[in-house]
């Protein structure tokens, strides 16, 4: 088994390691301590005054309706956006992680043979109209809770419109 000296070295090693971590914690708190004096009050280090009516986050940009953006969408720009989809979808008629997307615009939802859908899309959409695709591509999980598509979505309405315009050119 262990002799007394070996056991003493092991215990001393653990105690020394604990001491080093505690001293490091104490030193870090001294150097990087922020906030609160006594009584739970926190003193503000600095503030930036912004006159009312100027800049800041008070004004939101007015979003242009999808129909207007889609009317001037460019399929060539959508082909570049499709690069984000290419990891899971093909446009050559073969399924990958997701179903193929050639001919998707106007197609019935969950209609690609040979692909196992979750069923969540059918509960929210009938067919992939440009408007339905726009809603889904903005926030897939929010638009169709339970879908197996793990993509976070495309926040830009221009990107969505261009992508849908590109997908319209990929007949099925």
């Amino acid at each position: 088994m262990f002799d007394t000296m070996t056991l003493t070295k092991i215990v001393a090693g653990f105690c020394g390691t604990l001491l080093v971590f505690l001293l490091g914690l104490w030193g870090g708190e001294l150097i990087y301590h922020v906030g609160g004096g006594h009584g739970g009050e926190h003193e503000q280090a600095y503030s930036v005054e912004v006159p009312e009516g100027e800049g800041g986050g008070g004004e939101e940009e007015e979003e242009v309706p999808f129909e207007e953006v889609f009317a001037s969408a460019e399929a060539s720009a959508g082909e570049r956006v499709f690069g984000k989809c290419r990891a899971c979808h093909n446009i050559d008629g073969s399924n990958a992680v997701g179903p193929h997307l050639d001919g998707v615009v106007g197609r019935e939802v969950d209609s690609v043979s040979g692909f196992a859908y979750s069923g969540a899309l059918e509960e929210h959409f009938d067919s992939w109209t440009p408007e339905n695709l726009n809603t889904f591509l903005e926030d897939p999980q929010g638009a169709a809770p339970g879908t197996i598509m793990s993509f976070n979505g495309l926040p830009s309405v221009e990107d969505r419109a261009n992508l849908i315009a590109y997908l319209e050119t990929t007949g099925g």
Side-chain angles (χ1 to χ4, degrees):
M1 286 283 218
F2 291 110
D3 61 0
T4 306
M5 189 53 128
T6 304
L7 187 59
T8 303
K9 288 178 184 178
I10 292 172
V11 171
F14 283 121
C15 289
T17 303
L18 179 63
L19 181 62
V20 168
F21 282 118
L22 289 175
L23 287 172
L25 177 64
W26 175 71
E29 284 181 356
L30 280 176
I31 294 171
Y32 298 108
H33 181 72
V34 292
H38 301 285
E41 292 183 25
H42 295 282
E43 195 173 310
Q44 187 173 352
Y46 63 89
S47 66
V48 176
E49 304 250 345
V50 178
E52 267 189 56
E54 282 189 27
E59 298 175 25
E60 289 186 22
E61 262 188 50
E62 202 173 299
E63 179 144 343
V64 180
F66 171 73
E67 293 76 19
E68 289 180 27
V69 177
F70 186 62
S72 61
E74 298 178 19
S76 60
E79 187 173 8
R80 288 189 295 275
V81 176
F82 184 75
K84 296 178 181 182
C85 310
R86 197 174 309 275
C88 299
H89 297 280
N90 293 327
I91 53 170
D92 63 0
S94 65
N95 295 330
V97 173
H100 68 82
L101 295 181
D102 44 317
V104 70
V105 180
R107 183 170 71 198
E108 294 295 313
V109 171
D110 291 359
S111 63
V112 173
S113 62
F115 187 79
Y117 291 96
S118 66
L121 295 173
E122 291 175 339
E123 296 174 17
H124 302 282
F125 305 104
D126 295 333
S127 64
W128 288 125
T129 63
E131 293 77 17
N132 286 346
L133 280 167
N134 176 56
T135 301
F136 182 68
L137 291 172
E138 183 176 11
D139 180 15
Q141 296 296 326
T147 182
I148 57 176
M149 185 164 149
S150 61
F151 183 62
N152 287 334
L154 295 170
S156 167
V157 68
E158 288 84 10
D159 284 350
R160 294 190 305 269
N162 291 335
L163 175 62
I164 295 166
Y166 171 68
L167 290 174
E168 276 187 322
T169 66
T170 62

